[in-house]
Amino acid sequence: MKKKVGFVGWRGLVGSVLLERMILKDDIYKFNIKFFTTSQVGHNGPKINNKKFGILENAYDLQKLTEMDIILTCQGSKYTEKVYFNLRKLGWKGFWVDASSHLRVNDNSIIVLDPINYNFIMKSIEGGCKTFVGGNCTVSLMLMALGGLFSKNLIKKIFVSTYQAVSGAGSYYIKNLLLEMGILHKSVKNDLYKNNISILKIENIISSLLKSKKNVGIFNNIPIAGNLIPWIDSDNLDGNSKEEIKGEFETNKILNLNKLKHKIIVDSLCVRVSTFRCHSQSLLIKLNKNMNISEIKDILMNHNKWVKIIQNDKLNTITNLTPAMVSRTLNILVGRIRKSNFGNKYINLFSIGDQLLWGASEPLRRMIKILIKL
Ligand code: HSE
């Protein structure tokens, strides 16, 4: 019999990308899906390929939720906090698959990224684990990029600087980045198209506008167009942002190293930039041994089919190694691979992936596929 999957938060940014992928890959017909809502109970569910998917159920109706074999939620941490524990208290033994971060720190959860930790996922299921959470986007994208080196235990420590797209903050911020761009353009439009323009005059108008925080700055009152913000998520009150803390914890949790002494050290500095949906990362990596670059490239490339190595030269880099080129693909680009001046065990590289695909929805889609086969 087909498994019953309840889907909550399918209209948000991650949820809609996930639904789109499940339709594209025909997953949606491999289980009985029920759509839940926090705000439109009783409304019609989505119509997919001319098939109606019933009426929307109440996402807070615990009784209805307990009828599901699997609950898939992209509704966010607050929803998880409200519903998950009460559901378990009722004795519900189904699988909970969650895009939000709330349960990632929970001892009973596994962070899923099956190209990296398939064996760990399967062992955990055998051991009775019922709670599976998608990882932080930068962490998942980094692990996908470096999968080959991790699987051969070649990494000792990593320093990563991120360049994170506005999609990571939600759909509202994609829209507002465009609005900010429009406001900036409008403020100089008359001068911009004149002959013999003074670029410094134009730049002065833009700079003053960015500093004024009056008309731009729709991004939490801080402009992101023509700007960047070197802080993501809340303050961990130890000099790190919460986003930066996730780097080390989640990397080790995904690799099942958290309880061991030889954890991988990950230091992160996370920055929001004005790209739309792809996160980039610049990595300085200390390997466990001195290795040559062609061997490293082979290991990275052969680990999974999504890694694409970009030749480390100017033309290939500027043409191919950009967020714009990765957008809406599952490719994980890895370029600028070279030895570092720090020493012969150090390398640095640059990687980019789509934050909404491998960074959020794809690990969950694949987890559902694993669970419905059980
Ligand atoms: N925290 C991420 C970001 C979202 O703000 O970009 C993906 O986990």
Side-chain angles (χ1 to χ4, degrees):
M1 213 167 84
K2 283 185 186 173
K3 293 236 173 25
K4 285 182 257 170
V5 178
F7 193 177
V8 191
W10 48 278
R11 251 188 298 238
L13 195 53
V14 173
S16 34
V17 173
L18 178 51
L19 183 57
E20 209 177 279
R21 288 280 302 155
M22 291 199 302
I23 296 167
L24 186 78
K25 302 294 277 182
D26 273 348
D27 299 343
I28 198 107
Y29 307 107
K30 296 177 186 139
F31 41 80
N32 285 323
I33 190 161
K34 221 172 226 334
F35 291 92
F36 285 77
T37 176
T38 55
S39 57
Q40 297 191 328
V41 182
H43 288 215
N44 285 331
K47 199 171 164 189
I48 299 165
N49 297 334
N50 284 325
K51 184 177 180 306
K52 283 186 182 164
F53 277 81
I55 56 154
L56 301 179
E57 302 285 355
N58 183 355
Y60 293 109
D61 183 340
L62 297 182
Q63 219 51 51
K64 269 268 171 274
L65 291 169
T66 57
E67 290 167 17
M68 300 296 115
D69 299 305
I70 300 168
I71 292 170
L72 169 61
T73 169
C74 299
Q75 186 66 33
S77 284
K78 282 192 185 133
Y79 174 77
T80 298
E81 209 179 333
K82 265 192 182 160
V83 169
Y84 173 81
F85 295 100
N86 290 331
L87 211 51
R88 290 292 188 219
K89 267 188 219 152
L90 283 180
W92 179 68
K93 300 231 162 31
F95 294 108
W96 179 272
V97 180
D98 198 332
S100 80
S101 62
H102 189 68
L103 296 172
R104 286 187 205 141
V105 289
N106 190 307
D107 280 344
N108 300 323
S109 75
I110 299 296
I111 301 181
V112 294
L113 188 62
D114 69 277
I116 302 296
N117 66 352
Y118 179 80
N119 290 342
F120 180 39
I121 292 172
M122 295 316 286
K123 240 174 81 186
S124 307
I125 293 173
E126 276 166 32
C129 180
K130 301 278 184 184
T131 306
F132 301 95
V133 191
N136 171 264
C137 40
T138 44
V139 176
S140 297
L141 295 172
M142 177 181 78
L143 285 165
M144 287 298 291
L146 303 181
L149 295 174
F150 281 120
S151 69
K152 294 183 184 300
N153 295 321
L154 288 166
I155 295 182
K156 201 172 178 67
K157 46 182 148 179
I158 300 173
F159 172 70
V160 52
S161 291
T162 70
Y163 306 74
Q164 295 182 223
V166 289
S167 58
S171 55
Y172 172 82
Y173 296 94
I174 300 183
K175 183 178 160 193
N176 286 348
L177 168 58
L178 285 163
L179 290 174
E180 286 182 15
M181 286 172 164
I183 292 166
L184 293 178
H185 179 253
K186 201 171 155 201
S187 72
V188 294
K189 177 165 96 191
N190 293 338
D191 292 322
L192 204 54
Y193 298 104
K194 281 182 190 157
N195 289 330
N196 304 320
I197 53 160
S198 160
I199 201 65
L200 282 179
K201 184 183 158 202
I202 289 175
E203 175 276 327
N204 189 25
I205 297 170
I206 295 284
S207 295
S208 307
L209 197 55
L210 288 176
K211 277 186 197 163
S212 77
K213 296 179 189 165
K214 276 187 201 138
N215 300 318
V216 256
I218 309 163
F219 195 95
N220 297 334
N221 294 322
I222 315 289
I224 185 70
N227 204 13
L228 60 78
I229 305 172
W231 197 284
I232 294 178
D233 209 332
S234 51
D235 194 334
N236 208 51
L237 301 176
D238 60 355
N240 295 293
S241 69
K242 204 171 153 206
E243 187 79 353
E244 288 156 358
I245 292 299
K246 291 173 186 171
E248 182 166 287
F249 174 77
E250 293 191 22
T251 297
N252 285 287
K253 177 153 179 168
I254 290 170
L255 297 170
N256 193 22
L257 301 175
N258 262 341
K259 289 180 193 118
L260 305 178
K261 271 194 187 146
H262 59 274
K263 287 205 312 194
I264 291 166
I265 299 167
V266 182
D267 231 339
S268 313
L269 197 143
C270 296
V271 183
R272 183 77 68 205
V273 297
S274 58
T275 52
F276 289 104
R277 57 178 281 172
C278 295
H279 285 2
S280 308
Q281 323 195 31
S282 162
L283 299 126
L284 173 65
I285 301 165
K286 184 174 188 192
L287 300 170
N288 283 320
K289 59 178 188 179
N290 183 3
M291 293 172 69
N292 65 48
I293 292 299
S294 62
E295 191 186 351
I296 291 167
K297 278 188 194 166
D298 283 347
I299 289 174
L300 294 176
M301 199 163 56
N302 293 328
H303 178 265
N304 67 70
K305 65 179 182 192
W306 300 281
V307 167
K308 309 286 175 228
I309 303 289
I310 308 295
Q311 204 57 34
N312 184 23
D313 59 51
K314 181 173 176 181
L315 187 60
N316 271 299
T317 300
I318 65 173
T319 318
N320 301 316
L321 189 62
T322 64
M325 289 305 286
V326 186
S327 185
R328 291 182 167 265
T329 76
L330 288 165
N331 292 343
I332 303 287
L333 303 186
V334 187
R336 304 307 321 273
I337 309 173
R338 63 222 152 115
K339 293 294 242 186
S340 159
N341 291 340
F342 274 48
N344 60 20
K345 289 184 186 167
Y346 288 83
I347 55 165
N348 51 49
L349 55 82
F350 195 87
S351 178
I352 314 175
D354 188 309
Q355 181 266 328
L356 293 171
L357 290 169
W358 274 120
S361 59
E362 196 61 7
L364 301 185
R365 187 187 74 79
R366 294 168 65 90
M367 190 61 214
I368 297 291
K369 279 187 77 180
I370 291 174
L371 293 175
I372 58 171
K373 282 189 197 139
L374 295 176

